[in-house]
Amino acid sequence: MPRITAPTVAEHRATQRRALLDAARAILAEDASRAPGLAEVGARAGLARSSVYQYFRSREDLLYALIEDTFPRWSQRVTDAMEAAATPGARVLAYVDANLRLVAEGEHAVAQALAGIAPGEKLDSTSKVMHEELLGPLVGALADLGLPDPATTAELVNAVVNKAARMIELGAERAPVYARTEELLGPFLMHRPSMPGKG
């Protein structure tokens, strides 16, 4: 029986599962063309393949778990960044910056890899939920600026984010890409009066 390295068995299992998910994410970030096998993930995490089966029944089970782990983490990072901003315009720029930071850290590559190799229905459902979770605060911040159609403006902001993300994925440094994005969006976002009682 493996040595328990945490105060409780539950904490030990949570730590081991976290290590396996992080290992799978790292492998996908290095090679997005294939789903990692359980033995490969176990080796990266320092666990025997037999131990990996205590946490995941199959490669597909591991991919499902990775989807359920990756997308909420992305949403939480963006939401936390927006909530820390003081004004509606700053919340939108925080949305942009947080997304570009995640892309630069390789999270988008992992998400794209999952889109290419994971079963579609599960991924589509989780992607839809994530998109709605991210779009809600963005639309809210734009509405607080008094824009007449914040939902459409949010999609346009996302188009800029997607283009900036693509530039980073192709090798551009995040900081100058974000600086150019802020130059584009900042004057529009930061010099509009907020709606009364907002931000």
Side-chain angles (χ1 to χ4, degrees):
M1 180 168 178
R3 183 168 63 88
I4 303 299
T5 58
T8 67
V9 173
E11 289 177 276
H12 174 77
R13 288 186 59 80
T15 299
Q16 298 289 71
R17 190 176 191 275
R18 175 80 266 150
L20 290 168
L21 289 171
D22 288 344
R25 178 181 286 105
I27 293 168
L28 275 175
E30 293 166 5
D31 182 1
S33 66
R34 60 181 183 82
L38 296 184
E40 181 182 11
V41 171
R44 176 70 67 98
L47 294 174
R49 181 174 179 172
S50 58
S51 296
V52 179
Y53 278 106
Q54 297 177 28
Y55 300 91
F56 304 108
R57 297 183 302 274
S58 64
R59 179 182 298 190
E60 183 176 276
D61 190 32
L62 172 63
L63 289 175
Y64 280 153
L66 198 54
I67 290 169
E68 291 174 350
D69 182 68
T70 297
F71 288 78
R73 280 158 55 108
W74 185 298
S75 296
Q76 192 63 53
R77 281 275 300 274
V78 174
T79 301
D80 288 348
M82 292 183 74
E83 289 177 351
T87 66
R91 294 206 306 272
V92 177
L93 291 179
Y95 170 92
V96 174
D97 185 42
N99 275 289
L100 296 186
R101 285 181 184 277
L102 284 158
V103 171
E105 291 168 12
E107 288 295 304
H108 194 239
V110 172
Q112 285 189 316
L114 288 169
I117 62 181
E121 184 176 341
K122 177 72 172 180
L123 181 70
D124 291 346
S125 174
T126 307
S127 297
K128 181 179 179 181
V129 169
M130 177 183 161
H131 181 72
E132 291 172 354
E133 286 178 355
L134 291 177
L135 201 61
L138 178 59
V139 171
L142 293 167
D144 289 348
L145 287 170
L147 298 176
D149 186 359
T152 296
T153 305
E155 294 295 349
L156 293 172
V157 170
N158 272 328
V160 174
V161 172
N162 290 337
K163 181 61 178 180
R166 183 60 179 154
M167 293 171 69
I168 293 170
E169 289 174 335
L170 291 174
E173 293 292 327
R174 180 201 62 81
V177 170
Y178 173 71
R180 303 293 80 75
T181 306
E182 186 178 21
E183 288 171 358
L184 177 65
L185 298 176
F188 171 71
L189 295 169
M190 303 304 290
H191 302 295
R192 295 182 63 90
S194 302
M195 292 287 285
K198 304 290 186 179

